[in-house]
Amino acid sequence: MILLSAILSAFGNDKVVFYGWDVVDYYYRLFKNFYDGYSWQVRVSYALVVFCTFLMFVLFWFFFFRVRRRLSKKKKYREIKNRYAEAFREVLLEVEPLMPSQVEEICKADRERFAKFNPELFVHLLTEIRQELQEVIFLPNLQVLSQVCGVVDYLEFNLLKGRKVFASVQYVTMLNIRISEGRLANYVNYRNIVIRHMARMGYMISTDMEPYRFLTDDLNEPMAAWRRMMMHQLLGWLHACEKRMPNLLTLVDRVEDPNTAAFVIEEIAYWGSEEERRNLNLFFMDERFECRSAAFKAVAMLRDSDQEKNMMETYEAQPETLRREIMRAVYAVGSGHKECVEFFSNTYHTTASKETREVALTCLYDYSEESRRLFEHLRFENNAKDRTLIDQIDSFNLLNQIRNYN
């Protein structure tokens, strides 16, 4: 009553006042009466024009707001990059572990100062610097720097609230940041396969209780190229941190896909223990040809002369493609033993495959001085067709030497 009296005193007793839904009803009736004489087609067309005009105005406003926000974000990122990029590099390139107070001293900013900026910008800055330092597997002060500038808290908060989940677990895995394993608990069995795999790799980084709990299950699922690269980088980080590595040798038998099993065998050459490397010969006669090939490549990468003889002994039992892999592996080991030269020579004389003969001649060409003399001797003991092949190998190797010299 008091409000109504105030309205009547303001507008007078002879004025009509609308409020609440009466306002909506007034304009609806005004619009209806104004176009009541037109056909429904005209009214619908006019309504569509009005609706589209209003929609275009709303979309333009959202577009303007989004562009303005993106430009503002870029401006702030340039600001923190100019202010902290060099200090971050100095911290990350420091070999000795630093305390949080030392990091704050180098950056000339404490946690309160960092908290004034959007932590997502620091995530982008750390990612950019990490890409520049990609040849360094382990950066000992990345974790403490991430804690000081608020990146760890930001990623944990996103995972707790379910915001930007994919980006958050991706940053955890790419930067090798340890976060609370409880924050990953909801995502290690997530319905999205990409997020699930990322979360499980982050789990391997963040926990010491049972880090390889999901490793066998992950390896038994289809593996894209990016997962193999990420897994290789992750195992390298774990090895550089001197953490206990998984038993790769036993994993091979528990992996069903032969290509994934071959990937695990090749990883033994990089991160496997000495015992695992010595037992690569167990896969020389594996029923999966992919595993045989991976074992030969692993021996070649390790240049393990102790397993040369075992490889050559399995030569006759291998298909033609794996025979060539054995020759390349023996050549890569480069022990220079006389048995290896005889192996190349016998292969050249006995094989029916032209491609295998080419590989044998290529190995003979510059394996050792003795093999080179034998290569030249073969030039004159063969028929014209074989001499042509030898001349081609000779010319190809000379061309490679000239290119390498320049």
Side-chain angles (χ1 to χ4, degrees), residues 77-175:
Y77 178 72
R78 287 195 299 268
E79 178 184 350
I80 70 166
K81 184 176 181 180
N82 294 333
R83 183 179 298 184
Y84 298 113
E86 290 301 324
F88 279 19
R89 287 191 185 92
E90 183 179 351
V91 172
L92 296 177
L93 291 174
E94 178 61 43
V95 179
E96 298 296 328
L98 300 175
M99 299 294 292
S101 58
Q102 293 175 302
V103 174
E104 293 177 352
E105 183 178 353
I106 294 175
C107 297
K108 297 180 181 179
D110 54 12
R111 294 174 185 262
E112 289 74 17
R113 183 77 174 268
F114 283 125
K116 296 180 180 179
F117 296 94
N118 185 353
E120 185 179 3
L121 302 178
F122 290 115
V123 174
H124 295 322
L125 180 59
L126 286 176
T127 303
E128 182 177 337
I129 298 175
R130 188 67 183 94
Q131 290 174 345
E132 296 175 4
L133 305 175
Q134 58 182 338
E135 295 182 359
V136 184
I137 298 178
F138 174 57
L139 298 172
N141 294 300
L142 179 58
Q143 181 68 31
V144 64
L145 178 60
S146 302
Q147 292 174 337
V148 170
C149 65
V151 169
V152 173
D153 293 336
Y154 169 75
L155 296 176
E156 289 185 348
F157 181 78
N158 284 348
L159 295 177
L160 178 64
K161 298 298 183 180
R163 302 174 182 173
K164 301 180 179 179
V165 174
F166 174 73
S168 298
V169 294
Q170 188 177 37
Y171 286 130
V172 169
T173 308
M174 289 176 57
L175 297 175

Side-chain angles (χ1 to χ4, degrees), residues 345-346 348-349 361 364 373-387 390:
S345 177
N346 293 335
Y348 171 74
H349 286 100
L361 287 173
L364 281 172
R373 286 194 298 268
L374 181 57
F375 178 88
E376 296 298 336
H377 179 72
L378 291 175
R379 192 194 301 270
F380 300 101
E381 74 173 19
N382 289 284
N383 55 36
K385 184 178 180 181
D386 289 335
R387 279 199 300 272
I390 294 174

